[in-house]
C-alpha cells in the first residue's frame, strides 16, 4: 500500500510533462504573428499588443516561466514578454496566460500584460 501512492504521484507527474510542453509550444507559436490565430481559443480575450511596439525595438517575444494546472484542462501560465533594441537592450514585462484544452489541443483563452495579478 505504501508503494501505491508514490507510483500514482509519479504517473500523475509524468502525464503533466507532455501538457507542459504543449503549453510552452502554444506560447511559442503565439510569438509568430502569422500563426498566432492557430493557438487562440474562440472568443479569446487578448491584451492589445500595439502598446508594446515602437521605433527601434523588436517585436515582443513571450516565454513561459511557470505553469500551474488549475484543472486538468485549464492552466495558468506566468510568462515574460521581452523586447530587444539598441537603446533599451532588453525590456521584460510580466504576462499571464490562461490556456484551455479544447479537443485535446491547448489554446490561449486569456492574456494580460503587466499590472496587478501578474506577479
Amino acid at each position: 500500500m505504501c508503494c501505491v501512492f508514490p507510483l500514482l504521484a509519479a504517473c500523475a507527474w509524468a502525464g503533466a510533462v507532455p501538457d507542459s510542453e504543449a503549453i510552452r509550444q502554444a506560447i511559442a507559436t503565439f510569438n509568430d504573428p502569422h500563426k498566432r490565430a492557430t493557438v487562440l481559443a474562440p472568443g479569446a480575450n487578448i491584451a492589445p499588443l500595439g502598446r508594446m511596439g515602437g521605433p527601434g525595438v523588436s517585436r515582443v517575444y513571450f516565454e513561459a516561466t511557470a505553469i500551474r494546472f488549475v484543472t486538468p484542462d485549464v492552466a495558468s501560465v506566468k510568462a515574460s514578454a521581452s523586447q530587444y533594441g539598441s537603446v533599451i537592450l532588453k525590456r521584460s514585462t510580466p504576462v499571464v496566460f490562461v490556456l484551455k484544452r479544447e479537443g485535446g489541443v491547448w489554446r490561449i483563452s486569456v492574456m494580460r500584460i503587466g499590472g496587478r495579478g501578474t506577479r
Side-chain angles (χ1 to χ4, degrees):
M1 186 66 151
C2 64
C3 295
V4 172
F5 292 115
L7 182 61
L8 289 174
C11 290
W13 181 78
V17 173
D19 286 335
S20 295
E21 288 305 313
I23 288 168
R24 289 181 193 282
Q25 183 59 47
I27 292 172
T29 301
F30 184 79
N31 284 324
D32 184 342
H34 302 292
K35 296 180 182 178
R36 187 168 287 153
T38 66
V39 293
L40 295 178
N45 188 342
I46 304 300
L49 297 175
R51 70 179 182 148
M52 299 196 76
V57 296
S58 70
R59 72 175 198 253
V60 64
Y61 294 94
F62 298 94
E63 182 179 9
T65 56
I67 299 172
R68 183 176 66 89
F69 291 93
V70 180
T71 70
D73 294 326
V74 176
S76 173
V77 179
K78 288 185 179 181
S80 64
S82 299
Q83 289 179 289
Y84 303 88
S86 58
V87 175
I88 65 167
L89 299 183
K90 180 180 179 183
R91 171 175 53 204
S92 293
T93 304
V95 178
V96 172
F97 288 94
V98 176
L99 287 87
K100 291 183 187 175
R101 185 183 354 226
E102 297 177 346
V105 178
W106 286 97
R107 302 211 182 268
I108 298 169
S109 295
V110 177
M111 183 202 59
R112 292 290 175 262
I113 300 171
R116 288 182 289 204
T118 59
R119 294 176 198 207

